[in-house]
Amino acid sequence: MKNHFSRVGFILAAAGSAVGLGNIWKFPYVTGEYGGGAFVLVYLLAILFIGLTVFLAEAVIGQNAQSDVATSFIKTSKSKNQNWKFAGFIIFSGLIVLSFYSVVLGWILNYVFTSFGTLPSDSKAAGSAFETLISKDIASQIIYHTVIAGSVIFIVLKGIKRGIEKINLILMPLLGLILLGLLFYSFTLDSFSTALNFMFYPDWSKIDSNALLAALGQAFFTLSLGVGAIMTYSASLPKNANFVKSSIIVAIVDTAIAITAGLIIFSFLFEAGAQSSAGPGLVFISLPVIFSGWGVLGQVISISFFVALVFAGITSAVSMIEPSLKFFIERFNFTRKKATILCGSIFYILGIIALLSMTIAFKDSLTFFGKNAFDWMDFMTSSVMMPLAAILTCVFLGYFVDKELLRRIFTAHVSLTVFNIWYFLIKFIVPIAIITLFLNKLGII
Ligand code: PHE
């Protein structure tokens, strides 16, 4: 079918969506902040029991309805009540995430270019280079954001098959190759075993409710849940394709890549005797200093590393805008071009606001209630809208959809027992877990 994925195409595109900055940038630094092993274990449990369950939930709705997110909710519901269209609000989180994601990808692009020149040789210089980029260099940030936004728009304009599937077919194998190369290099370092130990030897004293929350949030973000991305991609999956198997493969690939990225980065850090708990600056400040100490080889590694991040990020970025495009195309009869211009402009402008809000010149006018616009967009999506969307999806499937329908779809691919476990998780366990953590995060309990 013209606008459908092939089976492999779907797996690649969904894996492309899942594998992103969340795996290579965020997972290592959050793991570092929470002390390693125990956090990794909690994260793996969160992926297995909660992430994968919600992933399957989005996939089953999408594949069953084969429509945009709003229409999919209506079509899948027992009542076919038109008000389910309001559930379609979740697609806008994708646009908001995309706006600051594009800015961060822009910084990474900047690091690809800097890697060709001289890298900073100590952490003070590296810190101030990063600081200067985000707080003073408005022109460069706008240029990089424009290049990234332009590429995303260019890809999605071509559609599912010729745009999204094709770019994933090219970039995902390249990403895999670069990461394998970096992993082999880290095998040769003495610090590899220290990194292994750090990531797999649990220190339970570091685990508190914040760590649980971070693990759950990370599981959702890394699997691209709560913005309708997986629902929208699954809507372009042929009706008889085995969505359960594909979903499991995607979750495994995503997890394997996060762990690989962690092992690579911690081996590098420990080899140089650097701290693992540097936070978001880990890849922007700590790594360049290490690469600079390795001479030309360090430069090659630096370029490969940041290029890998750009590839991973671009394939995620296209999946953040697609739910909105499909929404406008199917519900408002927009052409793909018109939908892309509209949604592209929205995220591009929001991105500019996000980046300006971190600069010295505009910080004051773009800070509201103590948070700048960038942090607000991050907070509103990952702490509010995405968990809400996940709760909504679970409650919807557990209470407003015919169980027989779900059983029929699932048991075409898996046993009744597997379906029953999934249904129990979706109906009771996952919503309770998310609601508890959500209220805790907002400081209510
Ligand atoms: N999963 C992507 C990452 O790990 C981020 C993402 C979130 C992509 C939401 C699509 C939708 O970087």
Side-chain angles (χ1 to χ4, degrees), residues 17-23 101 221-224 227 229 316 319-320 386:
S17 167
V19 175
L21 302 186
N23 304 58
Y101 204 84
F221 188 78
T222 193
L223 289 178
S224 306
V227 304
S316 298
S319 76
M320 296 174 190
M386 290 160 80

Side-chain angles (χ1 to χ4, degrees), residues 92-101 347 350 377-378 381 385:
F92 295 111
S93 327
L95 283 188
I96 303 175
V97 175
L98 180 52
S99 47
F100 64 83
Y101 204 84
F347 94 78
L350 282 178
M377 291 181 199
D378 181 18
T381 48
M385 292 166 76

Side-chain angles (χ1 to χ4, degrees), residues 17-191:
S17 167
V19 175
L21 302 186
N23 304 58
I24 309 177
W25 169 55
K26 205 161 175 202
F27 174 72
Y29 90 70
V30 181
T31 301
E33 282 180 330
Y34 288 105
F39 178 82
V40 173
L41 210 70
V42 177
Y43 167 78
L44 292 177
L45 292 175
I47 291 276
L48 184 63
F49 289 105
I50 303 189
L52 185 56
T53 308
V54 179
F55 195 105
L56 286 168
E58 285 205 22
V60 75
I61 298 176
Q63 197 190 23
N64 172 56
Q66 308 257 309
S67 309
D68 65 279
V69 172
T71 316
S72 294
F73 270 94
I74 301 172
K75 272 196 187 167
T76 311
S77 70
K78 234 185 306 202
S79 62
K80 311 280 182 260
N81 188 327
Q82 291 295 319
N83 283 333
W84 279 112
K85 67 171 179 269
F86 293 111
F89 83 89
I90 67 179
I91 59 173
F92 295 111
S93 327
L95 283 188
I96 303 175
V97 175
L98 180 52
S99 47
F100 64 83
Y101 204 84
S102 171
V103 173
V104 178
L105 268 173
W107 300 342
I108 294 166
L109 200 55
N110 169 75
Y111 274 78
V112 172
F113 295 124
T114 332
S115 306
F116 283 95
T118 344
L119 290 162
S121 56
D122 61 75
S123 47
K124 204 158 162 261
S128 84
F130 182 58
E131 194 53 39
T132 307
L133 174 69
I134 64 170
S135 67
K136 297 204 188 93
D137 198 347
I138 298 179
S140 301
Q141 286 199 84
I142 292 190
I143 293 172
Y144 290 126
H145 169 56
T146 308
V147 172
I148 298 288
S151 315
V152 170
I153 289 171
F154 177 76
I155 297 163
V156 295
L157 261 180
K158 291 189 176 298
I160 288 275
K161 194 110 194 135
R162 286 191 309 127
I164 295 180
E165 179 165 330
K166 199 160 165 199
I167 198 76
N168 277 291
L169 219 58
I170 301 169
L171 295 189
M172 288 304 283
L174 286 177
L175 170 67
L177 275 180
I178 298 179
L179 286 178
L180 267 183
L182 292 173
L183 183 67
F184 279 125
Y185 181 67
S186 55
F187 279 156
T188 66
L189 302 175
D190 292 337
S191 55

Side-chain angles (χ1 to χ4, degrees), residues 114-115 117-123 125-126 272 285-302:
T114 332
S115 306
T118 344
L119 290 162
S121 56
D122 61 75
S123 47
I285 300 169
S286 315
L287 283 186
V289 179
I290 296 169
F291 295 148
S292 109
W294 292 346
V296 181
L297 178 66
Q299 239 169 333
V300 174
I301 293 182
S302 185

Side-chain angles (χ1 to χ4, degrees), residues 264-276 282 286-287 290:
I264 294 170
I265 290 177
F266 291 123
S267 303
F268 289 177
L269 288 173
F270 296 148
E271 187 69 15
Q275 287 294 328
S276 56
L282 198 66
S286 315
L287 283 186
I290 296 169

